[in-house]
Amino acid sequence: MAKALFGHVVAPAELRVAEENAVLRARVRRLEQELQELRAQRDAAIAHELLSLAGDNAEPALA
């Protein structure tokens, strides 16, 4: 019944905007997750490359 009352009180245009807003928020969350994964992959690749360049002569930075 609450949905019926909400639909009756709120204009259809407002409902459409609310639905679009929910879809866009979900998309932003997915894109933020993808960005976080890509950054982690990039950081891992950079670390791997730096370690491979240092080779066996690597020493701790604070030694």
Short mmCIF file of all heavy atoms in Angstrom, two decimals:
data_model
loop_
_atom_site.label_atom_id
_atom_site.label_comp_id
_atom_site.label_asym_id
_atom_site.label_seq_id
_atom_site.Cartn_x
_atom_site.Cartn_y
_atom_site.Cartn_z
N MET A 1 0.82 -1.18 0.00
CA MET A 1 0.00 0.00 0.00
C MET A 1 0.88 1.26 0.00
O MET A 1 0.49 2.25 -0.58
CB MET A 1 -0.92 -0.02 1.20
CG MET A 1 -1.76 1.21 1.29
SD MET A 1 -3.38 0.78 1.83
CE MET A 1 -4.06 2.37 2.02
N ALA A 2 2.01 1.17 0.66
CA ALA A 2 2.90 2.33 0.69
C ALA A 2 3.36 2.69 -0.72
O ALA A 2 3.44 3.87 -1.06
CB ALA A 2 4.10 2.04 1.58
N LYS A 3 3.63 1.67 -1.53
CA LYS A 3 4.04 1.95 -2.91
C LYS A 3 2.91 2.63 -3.67
O LYS A 3 3.15 3.54 -4.46
CB LYS A 3 4.45 0.66 -3.61
CG LYS A 3 5.78 0.13 -3.19
CD LYS A 3 6.16 -1.07 -4.02
CE LYS A 3 7.51 -1.60 -3.62
NZ LYS A 3 7.90 -2.75 -4.44
N ALA A 4 1.71 2.20 -3.45
CA ALA A 4 0.56 2.80 -4.13
C ALA A 4 0.41 4.25 -3.71
O ALA A 4 0.17 5.13 -4.54
CB ALA A 4 -0.71 2.01 -3.82
N LEU A 5 0.55 4.52 -2.43
CA LEU A 5 0.45 5.90 -1.96
C LEU A 5 1.59 6.74 -2.49
O LEU A 5 1.41 7.88 -2.90
CB LEU A 5 0.44 5.94 -0.43
CG LEU A 5 -0.82 5.41 0.24
CD1 LEU A 5 -0.63 5.37 1.75
CD2 LEU A 5 -2.02 6.24 -0.12
N PHE A 6 2.79 6.19 -2.49
CA PHE A 6 3.95 6.93 -2.99
C PHE A 6 3.76 7.24 -4.47
O PHE A 6 4.01 8.36 -4.90
CB PHE A 6 5.22 6.11 -2.77
CG PHE A 6 6.47 6.85 -3.16
CD1 PHE A 6 6.95 7.88 -2.37
CD2 PHE A 6 7.16 6.51 -4.31
CE1 PHE A 6 8.10 8.56 -2.73
CE2 PHE A 6 8.32 7.19 -4.66
CZ PHE A 6 8.78 8.21 -3.87
N GLY A 7 3.32 6.28 -5.24
CA GLY A 7 3.09 6.50 -6.66
C GLY A 7 1.98 7.49 -6.92
O GLY A 7 2.01 8.23 -7.89
N HIS A 8 1.02 7.52 -6.03
CA HIS A 8 -0.09 8.44 -6.20
C HIS A 8 0.31 9.87 -5.84
O HIS A 8 -0.12 10.83 -6.49
CB HIS A 8 -1.27 8.01 -5.31
CG HIS A 8 -2.45 8.89 -5.41
ND1 HIS A 8 -3.24 8.95 -6.54
CD2 HIS A 8 -2.97 9.79 -4.53
CE1 HIS A 8 -4.21 9.84 -6.35
NE2 HIS A 8 -4.06 10.35 -5.13
N VAL A 9 1.14 10.03 -4.82
CA VAL A 9 1.54 11.35 -4.35
C VAL A 9 2.65 11.95 -5.22
O VAL A 9 2.64 13.13 -5.50
CB VAL A 9 2.00 11.28 -2.88
CG1 VAL A 9 2.57 12.60 -2.41
CG2 VAL A 9 0.84 10.85 -1.99
N VAL A 10 3.58 11.14 -5.66
CA VAL A 10 4.74 11.62 -6.42
C VAL A 10 4.42 11.59 -7.92
O VAL A 10 3.86 10.62 -8.43
CB VAL A 10 5.97 10.75 -6.12
CG1 VAL A 10 7.16 11.20 -6.93
CG2 VAL A 10 6.29 10.79 -4.63
N ALA A 11 4.81 12.64 -8.60
CA ALA A 11 4.57 12.73 -10.04
C ALA A 11 5.42 11.70 -10.78
O ALA A 11 6.54 11.39 -10.35
CB ALA A 11 4.90 14.13 -10.53
N PRO A 12 4.91 11.17 -11.89
CA PRO A 12 5.68 10.18 -12.66
C PRO A 12 7.05 10.69 -13.11
O PRO A 12 8.01 9.93 -13.15
CB PRO A 12 4.79 9.90 -13.87
CG PRO A 12 3.41 10.27 -13.43
CD PRO A 12 3.59 11.39 -12.44
N ALA A 13 7.14 11.96 -13.42
CA ALA A 13 8.43 12.52 -13.84
C ALA A 13 9.44 12.44 -12.70
O ALA A 13 10.62 12.15 -12.93
CB ALA A 13 8.26 13.96 -14.29
N GLU A 14 8.99 12.68 -11.48
CA GLU A 14 9.88 12.59 -10.33
C GLU A 14 10.32 11.15 -10.10
O GLU A 14 11.45 10.90 -9.70
CB GLU A 14 9.20 13.15 -9.09
CG GLU A 14 8.99 14.66 -9.13
CD GLU A 14 8.27 15.18 -7.90
OE1 GLU A 14 8.37 14.54 -6.84
OE2 GLU A 14 7.62 16.22 -8.01
N LEU A 15 9.42 10.21 -10.32
CA LEU A 15 9.78 8.80 -10.18
C LEU A 15 10.83 8.41 -11.20
O LEU A 15 11.77 7.67 -10.89
CB LEU A 15 8.54 7.91 -10.33
CG LEU A 15 7.56 7.91 -9.17
CD1 LEU A 15 6.32 7.08 -9.51
CD2 LEU A 15 8.22 7.38 -7.92
N ARG A 16 10.67 8.89 -12.43
CA ARG A 16 11.64 8.58 -13.47
C ARG A 16 13.01 9.14 -13.11
O ARG A 16 14.03 8.46 -13.27
CB ARG A 16 11.17 9.14 -14.81
CG ARG A 16 12.05 8.67 -15.98
CD ARG A 16 11.73 9.38 -17.26
NE ARG A 16 12.26 10.74 -17.15
CZ ARG A 16 11.57 11.83 -17.44
NH1 ARG A 16 10.34 11.77 -17.88
NH2 ARG A 16 12.11 13.02 -17.31
N VAL A 17 13.04 10.35 -12.59
CA VAL A 17 14.31 10.95 -12.19
C VAL A 17 14.93 10.16 -11.04
O VAL A 17 16.14 9.91 -11.03
CB VAL A 17 14.10 12.43 -11.78
CG1 VAL A 17 15.33 13.00 -11.11
CG2 VAL A 17 13.72 13.26 -13.00
N ALA A 18 14.13 9.71 -10.10
CA ALA A 18 14.64 8.92 -8.98
C ALA A 18 15.20 7.59 -9.48
O ALA A 18 16.25 7.13 -9.01
CB ALA A 18 13.53 8.69 -7.96
N GLU A 19 14.51 6.97 -10.44
CA GLU A 19 15.01 5.71 -11.01
C GLU A 19 16.32 5.92 -11.76
O GLU A 19 17.26 5.13 -11.62
CB GLU A 19 13.96 5.10 -11.94
CG GLU A 19 12.75 4.56 -11.22
CD GLU A 19 11.64 4.12 -12.17
OE1 GLU A 19 11.83 4.23 -13.41
OE2 GLU A 19 10.60 3.67 -11.68
N GLU A 20 16.39 6.97 -12.55
CA GLU A 20 17.62 7.27 -13.28
C GLU A 20 18.76 7.56 -12.31
O GLU A 20 19.90 7.12 -12.54
CB GLU A 20 17.41 8.48 -14.20
CG GLU A 20 16.54 8.20 -15.41
CD GLU A 20 16.33 9.43 -16.27
OE1 GLU A 20 17.04 10.44 -16.09
OE2 GLU A 20 15.42 9.39 -17.12
N ASN A 21 18.45 8.25 -11.23
CA ASN A 21 19.45 8.55 -10.22
C ASN A 21 19.99 7.27 -9.60
O ASN A 21 21.20 7.13 -9.42
CB ASN A 21 18.83 9.45 -9.14
CG ASN A 21 19.87 10.05 -8.23
OD1 ASN A 21 21.06 9.98 -8.50
ND2 ASN A 21 19.41 10.64 -7.14
N ALA A 22 19.11 6.33 -9.30
CA ALA A 22 19.54 5.05 -8.72
C ALA A 22 20.42 4.28 -9.71
O ALA A 22 21.44 3.70 -9.31
CB ALA A 22 18.32 4.23 -8.33
N VAL A 23 20.05 4.29 -10.98
CA VAL A 23 20.85 3.59 -11.99
C VAL A 23 22.23 4.23 -12.12
O VAL A 23 23.25 3.54 -12.18
CB VAL A 23 20.11 3.59 -13.36
CG1 VAL A 23 21.02 3.13 -14.47
CG2 VAL A 23 18.86 2.73 -13.27
N LEU A 24 22.27 5.55 -12.13
CA LEU A 24 23.54 6.26 -12.26
C LEU A 24 24.43 6.04 -11.04
O LEU A 24 25.64 5.86 -11.17
CB LEU A 24 23.31 7.74 -12.49
CG LEU A 24 22.73 8.10 -13.86
CD1 LEU A 24 22.36 9.58 -13.92
CD2 LEU A 24 23.69 7.75 -14.97
N ARG A 25 23.83 6.02 -9.86
CA ARG A 25 24.62 5.76 -8.64
C ARG A 25 25.23 4.37 -8.68
O ARG A 25 26.39 4.17 -8.30
CB ARG A 25 23.75 5.92 -7.40
CG ARG A 25 23.44 7.34 -7.05
CD ARG A 25 22.55 7.42 -5.80
NE ARG A 25 22.07 8.74 -5.57
CZ ARG A 25 22.67 9.63 -4.79
NH1 ARG A 25 23.80 9.31 -4.17
NH2 ARG A 25 22.16 10.82 -4.62
N ALA A 26 24.46 3.39 -9.14
CA ALA A 26 24.98 2.02 -9.25
C ALA A 26 26.12 1.96 -10.26
O ALA A 26 27.13 1.29 -10.03
CB ALA A 26 23.85 1.06 -9.64
N ARG A 27 25.97 2.68 -11.35
CA ARG A 27 27.03 2.69 -12.37
C ARG A 27 28.29 3.34 -11.83
O ARG A 27 29.41 2.87 -12.07
CB ARG A 27 26.54 3.43 -13.62
CG ARG A 27 27.55 3.41 -14.72
CD ARG A 27 27.01 3.93 -16.02
NE ARG A 27 28.04 3.82 -17.03
CZ ARG A 27 28.13 4.61 -18.07
NH1 ARG A 27 27.22 5.53 -18.29
NH2 ARG A 27 29.09 4.47 -18.95
N VAL A 28 28.13 4.42 -11.08
CA VAL A 28 29.29 5.10 -10.48
C VAL A 28 29.99 4.15 -9.51
O VAL A 28 31.23 4.07 -9.51
CB VAL A 28 28.86 6.40 -9.77
CG1 VAL A 28 29.96 6.93 -8.86
CG2 VAL A 28 28.46 7.45 -10.80
N ARG A 29 29.24 3.40 -8.72
CA ARG A 29 29.85 2.44 -7.80
C ARG A 29 30.66 1.39 -8.56
O ARG A 29 31.78 1.06 -8.18
CB ARG A 29 28.78 1.75 -6.94
CG ARG A 29 28.36 2.56 -5.73
CD ARG A 29 27.54 1.71 -4.76
NE ARG A 29 26.34 1.16 -5.36
CZ ARG A 29 25.17 1.77 -5.42
NH1 ARG A 29 25.04 2.98 -4.91
NH2 ARG A 29 24.13 1.20 -5.99
N ARG A 30 30.08 0.87 -9.65
CA ARG A 30 30.79 -0.13 -10.46
C ARG A 30 32.06 0.46 -11.06
O ARG A 30 33.12 -0.18 -11.06
CB ARG A 30 29.89 -0.68 -11.56
CG ARG A 30 28.85 -1.66 -11.08
CD ARG A 30 28.17 -2.38 -12.24
NE ARG A 30 27.66 -1.49 -13.27
CZ ARG A 30 26.43 -0.95 -13.29
NH1 ARG A 30 25.60 -1.22 -12.32
NH2 ARG A 30 26.05 -0.18 -14.27
N LEU A 31 31.98 1.68 -11.57
CA LEU A 31 33.15 2.32 -12.16
C LEU A 31 34.23 2.61 -11.12
O LEU A 31 35.42 2.47 -11.40
CB LEU A 31 32.75 3.60 -12.89
CG LEU A 31 31.94 3.39 -14.17
CD1 LEU A 31 31.42 4.72 -14.69
CD2 LEU A 31 32.78 2.69 -15.22
N GLU A 32 33.81 3.00 -9.91
CA GLU A 32 34.78 3.24 -8.85
C GLU A 32 35.49 1.94 -8.46
O GLU A 32 36.69 1.94 -8.21
CB GLU A 32 34.10 3.86 -7.63
CG GLU A 32 33.73 5.32 -7.83
CD GLU A 32 32.94 5.90 -6.68
OE1 GLU A 32 32.31 5.13 -5.90
OE2 GLU A 32 32.92 7.14 -6.56
N GLN A 33 34.75 0.84 -8.42
CA GLN A 33 35.36 -0.46 -8.12
C GLN A 33 36.34 -0.86 -9.20
O GLN A 33 37.45 -1.33 -8.92
CB GLN A 33 34.29 -1.54 -7.96
CG GLN A 33 33.46 -1.40 -6.71
CD GLN A 33 32.30 -2.38 -6.66
OE1 GLN A 33 31.98 -3.02 -7.66
NE2 GLN A 33 31.66 -2.49 -5.51
N GLU A 34 35.95 -0.64 -10.45
CA GLU A 34 36.84 -0.97 -11.57
C GLU A 34 38.11 -0.12 -11.51
O GLU A 34 39.22 -0.61 -11.74
CB GLU A 34 36.12 -0.75 -12.89
CG GLU A 34 36.92 -1.15 -14.10
CD GLU A 34 36.18 -0.93 -15.41
OE1 GLU A 34 34.95 -0.76 -15.40
OE2 GLU A 34 36.85 -0.94 -16.45
N LEU A 35 37.95 1.15 -11.20
CA LEU A 35 39.10 2.05 -11.09
C LEU A 35 40.04 1.59 -9.98
O LEU A 35 41.26 1.57 -10.15
CB LEU A 35 38.63 3.48 -10.82
CG LEU A 35 39.71 4.53 -10.65
CD1 LEU A 35 40.56 4.65 -11.91
CD2 LEU A 35 39.09 5.87 -10.30
N GLN A 36 39.48 1.18 -8.85
CA GLN A 36 40.30 0.69 -7.75
C GLN A 36 41.07 -0.56 -8.17
O GLN A 36 42.26 -0.69 -7.86
CB GLN A 36 39.42 0.40 -6.54
CG GLN A 36 40.17 0.00 -5.31
CD GLN A 36 39.25 -0.22 -4.12
OE1 GLN A 36 38.03 -0.19 -4.25
NE2 GLN A 36 39.83 -0.42 -2.96
N GLU A 37 40.42 -1.47 -8.88
CA GLU A 37 41.09 -2.69 -9.35
C GLU A 37 42.20 -2.35 -10.34
O GLU A 37 43.30 -2.91 -10.27
CB GLU A 37 40.08 -3.63 -9.99
CG GLU A 37 39.09 -4.23 -9.01
CD GLU A 37 37.96 -4.97 -9.70
OE1 GLU A 37 37.98 -5.10 -10.95
OE2 GLU A 37 37.05 -5.42 -8.99
N LEU A 38 41.93 -1.43 -11.25
CA LEU A 38 42.95 -1.04 -12.24
C LEU A 38 44.15 -0.37 -11.57
O LEU A 38 45.29 -0.61 -11.96
CB LEU A 38 42.34 -0.12 -13.30
CG LEU A 38 41.35 -0.79 -14.26
CD1 LEU A 38 40.66 0.26 -15.12
CD2 LEU A 38 42.06 -1.81 -15.12
N ARG A 39 43.89 0.45 -10.57
CA ARG A 39 44.99 1.10 -9.85
C ARG A 39 45.84 0.05 -9.12
O ARG A 39 47.07 0.16 -9.09
CB ARG A 39 44.45 2.13 -8.87
CG ARG A 39 44.01 3.40 -9.54
CD ARG A 39 43.50 4.41 -8.54
NE ARG A 39 43.23 5.67 -9.21
CZ ARG A 39 42.48 6.63 -8.69
NH1 ARG A 39 41.92 6.47 -7.50
NH2 ARG A 39 42.27 7.74 -9.36
N ALA A 40 45.18 -0.93 -8.52
CA ALA A 40 45.92 -1.99 -7.82
C ALA A 40 46.77 -2.78 -8.80
O ALA A 40 47.93 -3.11 -8.50
CB ALA A 40 44.95 -2.91 -7.08
N GLN A 41 46.22 -3.08 -9.97
CA GLN A 41 46.99 -3.80 -10.99
C GLN A 41 48.18 -2.97 -11.46
O GLN A 41 49.29 -3.49 -11.62
CB GLN A 41 46.10 -4.14 -12.19
CG GLN A 41 45.06 -5.20 -11.91
CD GLN A 41 44.12 -5.38 -13.08
OE1 GLN A 41 44.26 -4.75 -14.13
NE2 GLN A 41 43.12 -6.23 -12.91
N ARG A 42 47.96 -1.69 -11.66
CA ARG A 42 49.04 -0.81 -12.10
C ARG A 42 50.14 -0.74 -11.05
O ARG A 42 51.32 -0.85 -11.36
CB ARG A 42 48.49 0.59 -12.38
CG ARG A 42 49.57 1.58 -12.82
CD ARG A 42 49.20 3.01 -12.58
NE ARG A 42 48.99 3.23 -11.17
CZ ARG A 42 48.28 4.24 -10.68
NH1 ARG A 42 47.71 5.09 -11.47
NH2 ARG A 42 48.12 4.38 -9.38
N ASP A 43 49.75 -0.58 -9.79
CA ASP A 43 50.73 -0.50 -8.72
C ASP A 43 51.53 -1.80 -8.60
O ASP A 43 52.74 -1.77 -8.38
CB ASP A 43 50.05 -0.18 -7.39
CG ASP A 43 49.47 1.23 -7.36
OD1 ASP A 43 49.82 2.05 -8.23
OD2 ASP A 43 48.67 1.51 -6.44
N ALA A 44 50.84 -2.94 -8.77
CA ALA A 44 51.53 -4.22 -8.71
C ALA A 44 52.52 -4.36 -9.86
O ALA A 44 53.64 -4.85 -9.68
CB ALA A 44 50.53 -5.37 -8.72
N ALA A 45 52.13 -3.91 -11.04
CA ALA A 45 53.02 -3.99 -12.21
C ALA A 45 54.24 -3.09 -12.02
O ALA A 45 55.36 -3.48 -12.35
CB ALA A 45 52.26 -3.60 -13.48
N ILE A 46 54.03 -1.91 -11.47
CA ILE A 46 55.14 -0.99 -11.23
C ILE A 46 56.09 -1.59 -10.20
O ILE A 46 57.32 -1.55 -10.36
CB ILE A 46 54.62 0.39 -10.79
CG1 ILE A 46 53.94 1.10 -11.96
CG2 ILE A 46 55.75 1.25 -10.22
CD1 ILE A 46 53.22 2.38 -11.59
N ALA A 47 55.54 -2.15 -9.13
CA ALA A 47 56.38 -2.75 -8.09
C ALA A 47 57.18 -3.91 -8.67
O ALA A 47 58.37 -4.06 -8.38
CB ALA A 47 55.51 -3.22 -6.92
N HIS A 48 56.52 -4.71 -9.48
CA HIS A 48 57.21 -5.86 -10.09
C HIS A 48 58.36 -5.37 -10.99
O HIS A 48 59.47 -5.89 -10.96
CB HIS A 48 56.23 -6.69 -10.89
CG HIS A 48 56.82 -7.90 -11.55
ND1 HIS A 48 58.16 -8.10 -11.74
CD2 HIS A 48 56.25 -9.01 -12.07
CE1 HIS A 48 58.39 -9.23 -12.35
NE2 HIS A 48 57.24 -9.80 -12.56
N GLU A 49 58.08 -4.34 -11.78
CA GLU A 49 59.11 -3.81 -12.67
C GLU A 49 60.28 -3.23 -11.89
O GLU A 49 61.44 -3.44 -12.23
CB GLU A 49 58.51 -2.76 -13.59
CG GLU A 49 59.48 -2.26 -14.65
CD GLU A 49 58.85 -1.29 -15.62
OE1 GLU A 49 57.61 -1.22 -15.68
OE2 GLU A 49 59.61 -0.60 -16.32
N LEU A 50 59.99 -2.50 -10.83
CA LEU A 50 61.06 -1.93 -10.01
C LEU A 50 61.91 -3.01 -9.35
O LEU A 50 63.13 -2.91 -9.30
CB LEU A 50 60.47 -1.00 -8.94
CG LEU A 50 59.91 0.33 -9.45
CD1 LEU A 50 59.23 1.08 -8.32
CD2 LEU A 50 60.99 1.17 -10.10
N LEU A 51 61.25 -4.07 -8.88
CA LEU A 51 62.00 -5.16 -8.26
C LEU A 51 62.86 -5.89 -9.29
O LEU A 51 63.98 -6.29 -9.00
CB LEU A 51 61.05 -6.14 -7.58
CG LEU A 51 60.41 -5.64 -6.28
CD1 LEU A 51 59.38 -6.63 -5.78
CD2 LEU A 51 61.46 -5.37 -5.23
N SER A 52 62.33 -6.04 -10.49
CA SER A 52 63.12 -6.72 -11.53
C SER A 52 64.30 -5.87 -11.97
O SER A 52 65.36 -6.39 -12.30
CB SER A 52 62.24 -7.09 -12.72
OG SER A 52 61.81 -5.93 -13.40
N LEU A 53 64.15 -4.55 -11.96
CA LEU A 53 65.26 -3.66 -12.32
C LEU A 53 66.33 -3.67 -11.23
O LEU A 53 67.52 -3.57 -11.53
CB LEU A 53 64.75 -2.24 -12.54
CG LEU A 53 63.91 -2.00 -13.79
CD1 LEU A 53 63.37 -0.57 -13.79
CD2 LEU A 53 64.73 -2.26 -15.04
N ALA A 54 65.91 -3.78 -9.97
CA ALA A 54 66.87 -3.77 -8.87
C ALA A 54 67.67 -5.06 -8.84
O ALA A 54 68.84 -5.06 -8.46
CB ALA A 54 66.12 -3.58 -7.54
N GLY A 55 67.04 -6.16 -9.24
CA GLY A 55 67.77 -7.44 -9.29
C GLY A 55 68.18 -7.91 -7.92
O GLY A 55 67.53 -7.67 -6.92
N ASP A 56 69.31 -8.59 -7.87
CA ASP A 56 69.81 -9.17 -6.61
C ASP A 56 70.53 -8.14 -5.75
O ASP A 56 70.86 -8.40 -4.60
CB ASP A 56 70.75 -10.34 -6.90
CG ASP A 56 70.00 -11.52 -7.53
OD1 ASP A 56 68.79 -11.62 -7.27
OD2 ASP A 56 70.65 -12.30 -8.26
N ASN A 57 70.83 -6.99 -6.29
CA ASN A 57 71.57 -5.96 -5.55
C ASN A 57 70.67 -5.06 -4.74
O ASN A 57 71.11 -4.02 -4.25
CB ASN A 57 72.40 -5.10 -6.52
CG ASN A 57 73.40 -5.94 -7.28
OD1 ASN A 57 73.87 -6.96 -6.79
ND2 ASN A 57 73.72 -5.51 -8.49
N ALA A 58 69.41 -5.43 -4.60
CA ALA A 58 68.45 -4.58 -3.91
C ALA A 58 68.79 -4.51 -2.42
O ALA A 58 69.10 -5.50 -1.79
CB ALA A 58 67.04 -5.11 -4.09
N GLU A 59 68.76 -3.29 -1.88
CA GLU A 59 68.98 -3.07 -0.46
C GLU A 59 67.80 -2.29 0.08
O GLU A 59 67.17 -1.53 -0.65
CB GLU A 59 70.26 -2.26 -0.24
CG GLU A 59 71.53 -2.98 -0.65
CD GLU A 59 72.75 -2.13 -0.35
OE1 GLU A 59 72.64 -1.15 0.40
OE2 GLU A 59 73.82 -2.46 -0.87
N PRO A 60 67.50 -2.46 1.35
CA PRO A 60 66.40 -1.69 1.93
C PRO A 60 66.66 -0.19 1.81
O PRO A 60 67.81 0.27 1.91
CB PRO A 60 66.39 -2.12 3.40
CG PRO A 60 67.12 -3.42 3.44
CD PRO A 60 68.10 -3.39 2.30
N ALA A 61 65.64 0.58 1.60
CA ALA A 61 65.78 2.02 1.41
C ALA A 61 66.30 2.71 2.65
O ALA A 61 66.98 3.73 2.58
CB ALA A 61 64.46 2.62 0.98
N LEU A 62 65.98 2.20 3.82
CA LEU A 62 66.37 2.86 5.06
C LEU A 62 67.62 2.23 5.69
O LEU A 62 67.91 2.47 6.84
CB LEU A 62 65.21 2.83 6.06
CG LEU A 62 63.94 3.54 5.58
CD1 LEU A 62 62.82 3.35 6.59
CD2 LEU A 62 64.21 5.02 5.38
N ALA A 63 68.34 1.46 4.95
CA ALA A 63 69.53 0.79 5.51
C ALA A 63 70.66 1.76 5.72
O ALA A 63 70.80 2.78 5.14
CB ALA A 63 69.99 -0.33 4.59
#
